[in-house]
Amino acid sequence: MPRAVTLIRSTSLSDVAEYAYAATAPAEARLIFLAGACPLNEDGSTAAVGDYAGQAAKAFENMRTALTDAGASLEDVISTRVLVASSRQEDLVAAWGVVRAGFGDHDAPSTLLGVTVLGYYDQLVEIEAVAAVLDA
């Protein structure tokens, strides 16, 4: 199945970043804008309370479900934004490690940032994503 997303890796910028610096999709692609995936269980409770990596894993799982329901997959993601409720870099890195590993070779452009608070009680991580697909 052909993919709409083309990841662009700049040779003019540092190769330290664990993601492509840009991505494109053709004009005929259908864009999918996902709400922030939260680490919520089916009953609405917050998963992995106090655990940045655990919440990142649950949020990633929920994001994957939303993508599937929209007719897309992880390889269709054109960009992400990972929000972590912390001012400590090691907490951001713990969440990022899970997200980065989840995407594997599909290293879409991403922004990782610490925020003061997120919307659900005990929530520490949220993942926003945009995907692009070519419908048959």
Side-chain angles (χ1 to χ4, degrees):
M1 173 179 175
R3 298 281 178 203
V5 177
T6 300
L7 301 178
I8 301 165
R9 291 168 184 83
S10 175
T11 57
S12 303
L13 298 169
S14 171
D15 63 357
V16 172
E18 295 179 319
Y19 47 81
Y21 278 100
T24 63
E28 65 271 17
R30 176 172 55 93
L31 296 179
I32 302 166
F33 297 88
L34 275 65
C38 300
L40 299 179
N41 296 311
E42 285 188 32
D43 66 2
S45 63
T46 302
V49 173
D51 179 359
Y52 289 92
Q55 287 202 7
K58 183 61 178 174
F60 194 88
E61 174 187 327
N62 290 343
M63 178 191 68
R64 185 189 308 241
T65 299
L67 284 165
T68 299
D69 290 348
S73 69
L74 292 175
E75 292 79 18
D76 298 314
V77 171
I78 196 166
S79 69
T80 67
R81 182 177 299 130
V82 181
L83 305 145
V84 182
S86 180
S87 61
R88 295 171 8 118
Q89 188 174 28
E90 54 267 28
D91 297 335
L92 277 71
V93 170
W96 173 249
V98 172
V99 174
R100 179 67 191 94
F103 275 106
D105 290 337
H106 185 71
D107 57 346
S110 190
T111 298
L112 172 66
L113 49 125
V115 298
T116 304
V117 66
L118 292 166
Y120 292 100
Y121 188 70
D122 290 327
Q123 182 183 359
L124 300 172
V125 177
E126 189 162 330
I127 307 168
E128 297 177 13
V130 177
V133 296
L134 296 171
D135 292 320

